[in-house]
Amino acid sequence: MKSGKIVTLAHGAGGKQTSELIDQVFKAHFSNPQFTADDAAVLEVNGKIAMSTDGFIVSPYEFNGGNIGKLSICGTVNDLACMGAKPLYMTCSFIIEEGFSMDKLEEIASYMEKTAKEAGVKIVAGDTKVAGRGQVDHLFITTTGIGKIVDGVSTSGAFAKPGDKIIVTGDIGRHGCTILLARENLGIEADIQSDCAPLWGTVEMMLETTKDIHVIRDATRGGVGTVLYEIAAESNVGVKLDSSAIPVDPAVSGVCGMLGLDPLYLANEGTLVVIAPAEQADTLVETLHKGKYSKNAAVIGEITESMPGKVVVTTEIGAETLLPQPGGELLPRIC
């Protein structure tokens, strides 16, 4: 049953209401042996670690396939996974607008609890602030994560080599398209759901197949096209894509066709770009096809020596064209 309660400035003042908010919402969903009421959590981490932090101000805060809470866990977990790190611990900071529904806040915390459990990560500390009406767009969340890097794994955008194959772990552009349709009054009806998902399990499957993976990147803001331009610059290599091999949901393709958008530049929240030696590519894709979030994985291109820093696309009729380099405002903004 909905309580009808809202967040007030008193919930951010540090007194009784703050304690009640933490106990009744956050502690109720995030409690674990490392969750602390002290100023910092005490953790055990052995070996090489990865650490990442990210802020989430997505509008709307609810969308088909998730909400800002689920997104905040997936975003940080996936950034750790891209470095070959098993997510262990997270902190989260909430900035909540006065008047925000307490029921919605608990629903968001519930999504975070469920997603963290799936990812195998523990939320161990956090912070809560309440801002006056109009100072915040409903709710902002910042998360920081720590993970332990798997022995023998070393990935970086600077490690791509000519001859490597480029793999995407799923179809592209669904999250960006979902947010676009939820935010703008476009009058377009399309059955599109965000791909928002925690991807440590996907990366773990690949690493159990082979640790000989050069690059893993989360194709979020700016999409696959932006990520490939970043990798091309970091590694000083060229990128050649086969447009016919790039998996795109038909509904996403249809919306992009109507609006003149390129799925390569739409955000993903459950799709990785993976660059690995050619001899590993087919085995990795075969492994990915067995995964919960990677059934549409495909080899979409290769790394080349020619045209370093550029991304070239082979069209369906065999012509080659330069993918425009991203610049200015990439639409839709996802955060």
Side-chain angles (χ1 to χ4, degrees):
M1 181 180 293
K2 293 186 179 297
S3 68
K5 294 181 180 178
I6 61 171
V7 176
T8 68
L9 290 175
H11 286 106
K16 176 184 176 183
Q17 288 90 342
T18 301
S19 296
E20 290 175 349
L21 175 64
I22 292 170
D23 288 343
Q24 295 172 12
V25 178
F26 300 132
K27 186 177 179 180
H29 289 282
F30 303 159
S31 183
N32 61 73
Q34 283 77 34
F35 188 85
T36 183
D38 294 321
D39 288 340
V42 178
L43 312 173
E44 291 185 11
V45 180
N46 298 314
K48 205 171 183 180
I49 67 168
M51 183 174 181
S52 181
T53 191
D54 207 348
F56 300 87
I57 59 173
V58 63
S59 178
Y61 65 85
E62 294 178 300
F63 48 84
N64 189 15
N67 59 32
I68 191 173
K70 180 180 180 181
L71 184 65
S72 71
I73 301 297
C74 292
T76 294
V77 163
N78 295 348
D79 285 346
L80 295 174
C82 286
M83 304 311 297
K86 175 181 173 60
L88 298 176
Y89 305 113
M90 289 183 67
T91 66
C92 55
S93 172
F94 295 83
I95 302 179
I96 311 166
E97 183 182 20
E98 176 191 12
F100 191 74
S101 164
M102 196 72 75
D103 294 316
K104 286 295 182 183
L105 184 62
E106 182 157 13
E107 182 181 334
I108 287 165
S110 177
Y111 265 83
M112 294 175 73
E113 174 188 21
K114 180 180 178 181
T115 308
K117 183 177 181 180
E118 180 180 354
V121 68
K122 294 179 179 177
I123 299 171
V124 296
D127 182 54
T128 303
K129 296 290 188 295
V130 178
R133 293 177 187 269
Q135 292 181 306
V136 175
D137 186 9
H138 298 299
L139 174 69
F140 296 166
I141 302 176
T142 298
T143 50
T144 297
I146 295 175
K148 184 178 185 300
I149 296 176
V150 174
D151 291 341
V153 175
S154 182
T155 63
S156 169
F159 292 169
K161 295 178 173 59
D164 285 353
K165 296 296 184 181
I166 303 165
I167 299 166
V168 290
T169 61
D171 57 278
I172 68 169
R174 271 197 287 136
H175 182 72
C177 200
T178 300
I179 296 298
L180 179 68
L181 295 178
R183 184 183 300 161
E184 307 294 344
N185 185 22
L186 299 174
I188 298 174
E189 293 186 9
D191 184 16
I192 300 173
Q193 179 173 299
S194 170
D195 61 343
C196 184
L199 298 177
W200 165 244
T202 301
V203 172
E204 187 175 34
M205 286 174 55
M206 290 193 293
L207 296 179
E208 287 173 351
T209 300
T210 177
K211 294 184 174 67
D212 191 8
I213 298 174
H214 295 159
V215 185
I216 308 175
R217 290 291 282 270
D218 194 10
T220 54
R221 185 165 44 188
V224 171
T226 298
V227 164
L228 289 174
Y229 260 105
E230 290 172 352
I231 294 168
E234 288 180 61
S235 293
N236 194 33
V237 295
V239 171
K240 186 174 181 180
L241 299 180
D242 177 0
S243 63
S244 65
I246 300 171
V248 183
D249 183 276
V252 172
S253 181
V255 171
C256 287
M258 284 188 282
L259 299 178
L261 299 173
D262 190 335
L264 282 167
Y265 288 129
L266 289 179
N268 311 272
E269 288 294 345
T271 296
L272 304 172
V273 173
V274 179
I275 298 178
E279 58 269 24
Q280 305 290 353
D282 288 342
T283 302
L284 282 169
V285 170
E286 184 179 341
T287 297
L288 287 166
H289 285 166
K290 301 173 185 175
K292 180 178 180 181
Y293 299 117
S294 53
K295 298 185 187 304
N296 295 319
V299 175
I300 64 168
E302 63 182 356
I303 302 297
T304 66
E305 290 182 348
S306 62
M307 299 186 70
K310 302 296 183 183
V311 179
V312 174
V313 180
T314 302
T315 68
E316 293 181 359
I317 61 172
E320 291 187 356
T321 182
L322 187 67
L323 186 71
Q325 191 160 359
E329 182 74 5
L330 296 175
L331 296 175
R333 286 197 67 192
I334 61 164
C335 60

